Amino acid sequence: YNGWVADDMLEKLNSIGGRHTKNDFINSSAEWVKPISQNYRNIKIHECPPNGQGIVALIILGILENFNVKNMSKNDYIHLFCEAVKIGYLLRDQYLADTNYNKLSVTSFLNKKSLKKYASKIDFKKAISFERSDFPDHPDTIYLTVRDKNGMTISFINSLFDPFGSGITAPKSGVLFHSRGRGFNLIEGHPNELFSNKRPLHTIIPAMISKKNKLIGSFGVMGGQYQAAGHAYILSQMIDFGLSPQEALDLPRVFPNSNTLDIEKNFDNAIIKDLVSRGHDINFPVSPIGGGQIILVDIEKNILIGASDFRKDGCAIGN
């Protein structure tokens, strides 16, 4: 962010109406952050802290933990999952932001009393409607995870938010500007209101899981704002129902996108009819919902289990 590359970016932005200064680049720096975590049925889930939406995945799982989902019908489970997601995303839209501007208490959202309160709001006979989210959809994300022979593990995700980001390129350096500023809102006084030198609410959340202080997995689920719901869904399928990583990724998906359920076309029709009877609005998106990659460590057998989602380019490779 210094020298001729910074000058090139600054000149391009200012030429099209930007109000950036050299200090905006100079004062910007990456941060090492401590992950947030929460136990789900004795498995610890590690997520990126706010201003990312990893906390939303933990809220959804924390709500699910209040129920014996193994003994539920599939219909009840999917309804419960959808309602838990709607509550998690409502909290996201109301409170999640750059913690330098919003002293969000992570523990206040993840304590068992609060999660039990959220869980008690779920009606198994009727879908709850909330104010519609104005957070923009954005599908263009890549995720990868790698583990070496020494156990060093990387969980990595990257996104420009939209295809080719903002569509603006600095001409000399070739730097392509992302468009994550779309994650802000213009609501006066809101924690995520647009402001200078502030990071927007973002959706990209690489994750890991551990048990008894040993890392047992790394994973990511792509798909823009679907990611938090995707994390909760994939983990619940593996932890609650014993599915393998590949089986969990291959399952047809549902995503409560505001008050409408985006459902993949190969979803169980009987479950869809039941969801409609409970008041859910259904939408069948043209494209698949998200994507994902997982490495799971089987400590007892001393093997790694890799899985890659068929919905996007990718493969699981071991050596």
Side-chain angles (χ1 to χ4, degrees), residues 23-237:
N23 283 336
D24 290 327
F25 286 89
I26 293 169
N27 293 335
S28 180
S29 61
E31 296 179 353
W32 287 100
V33 295
K34 184 178 180 180
I36 58 175
S37 61
Q38 177 89 334
N39 284 319
Y40 181 67
R41 309 199 198 277
N42 297 317
I43 302 293
K44 182 170 278 191
I45 319 302
H46 305 267
E47 295 277 2
C48 290
N51 52 317
Q53 64 170 345
I55 189 173
V56 180
L58 301 182
I59 290 171
I60 297 166
L61 289 170
I63 293 173
L64 294 182
E65 197 169 25
N66 284 276
F67 300 88
N68 184 358
V69 299
K70 285 185 178 180
N71 292 333
M72 280 184 182
S73 67
K74 287 185 177 180
N75 294 358
D76 281 346
Y77 171 78
I78 295 297
H79 172 75
L80 168 63
F81 172 77
C82 291
E83 296 300 280
V85 169
K86 287 195 285 186
I87 292 170
Y89 279 65
L90 176 71
L91 293 171
R92 182 199 71 176
D93 290 346
Q94 289 179 338
Y95 299 108
L96 200 59
D98 185 335
T99 53
N100 291 321
Y101 294 79
N102 172 37
K103 302 302 179 184
L104 175 74
S105 172
V106 172
T107 55
S108 68
F109 286 98
L110 297 181
N111 72 69
K112 291 191 179 297
K113 186 176 180 180
S114 294
L115 293 168
K116 189 172 183 178
K117 181 188 74 173
Y118 301 141
S120 69
K121 296 180 181 295
I122 293 174
D123 184 344
F124 276 87
K125 295 181 180 179
K126 185 179 180 181
I128 303 173
S129 293
F130 295 113
E131 184 178 343
R132 292 187 65 82
S133 173
D134 60 358
F135 196 86
D137 286 329
H138 55 291
D140 294 273
T141 307
I142 66 98
Y143 173 82
L144 63 87
T145 179
V146 181
R147 184 179 175 94
D148 71 12
K149 63 182 180 182
N150 298 316
M152 175 64 75
T153 305
I154 295 172
S155 186
F156 175 87
I157 202 162
N158 186 53
S159 171
L160 295 174
F161 198 89
D162 286 306
F164 297 100
S166 63
I168 302 167
T169 305
K172 297 175 185 176
S173 59
V175 172
L176 176 64
F177 294 102
H178 64 69
S179 53
R180 287 225 154 251
R182 289 185 66 207
F184 283 121
N185 65 50
L186 299 176
I187 303 171
E188 187 175 352
H190 191 281
N192 192 42
E193 180 186 7
L194 175 65
F195 198 77
S196 62
N197 295 308
K198 183 179 181 181
R199 290 180 167 93
L201 162 63
H202 77 80
T203 56
I204 48 178
I205 46 173
M208 293 186 174
I209 55 178
S210 65
K211 187 175 184 179
K212 296 179 180 179
N213 294 320
K214 290 186 177 180
L215 185 68
I216 61 169
S218 54
F219 73 100
V221 180
M222 297 161 274
Q225 63 170 328
Y226 170 70
Q227 289 178 55
H231 280 211
Y233 189 63
I234 297 301
L235 288 171
S236 176
Q237 296 302 320

Side-chain angles (χ1 to χ4, degrees), residues 258-279:
S258 286
N259 290 318
T260 301
L261 303 189
D262 287 344
I263 295 183
E264 292 185 326
K265 292 182 179 179
N266 54 345
F267 209 83
D268 190 317
N269 282 327
I271 297 178
I272 294 173
K273 289 181 181 178
D274 180 80
L275 291 170
V276 171
S277 73
R278 302 188 201 211

Side-chain angles (χ1 to χ4, degrees), residues 291-309:
Q293 320 278 356
I294 303 172
I295 297 175
L296 192 64
V297 183
D298 188 324
I299 295 175
E300 293 181 0
K301 296 179 181 178
N302 195 31
I303 60 171
L304 302 179
I305 303 167
S308 183
D309 202 317

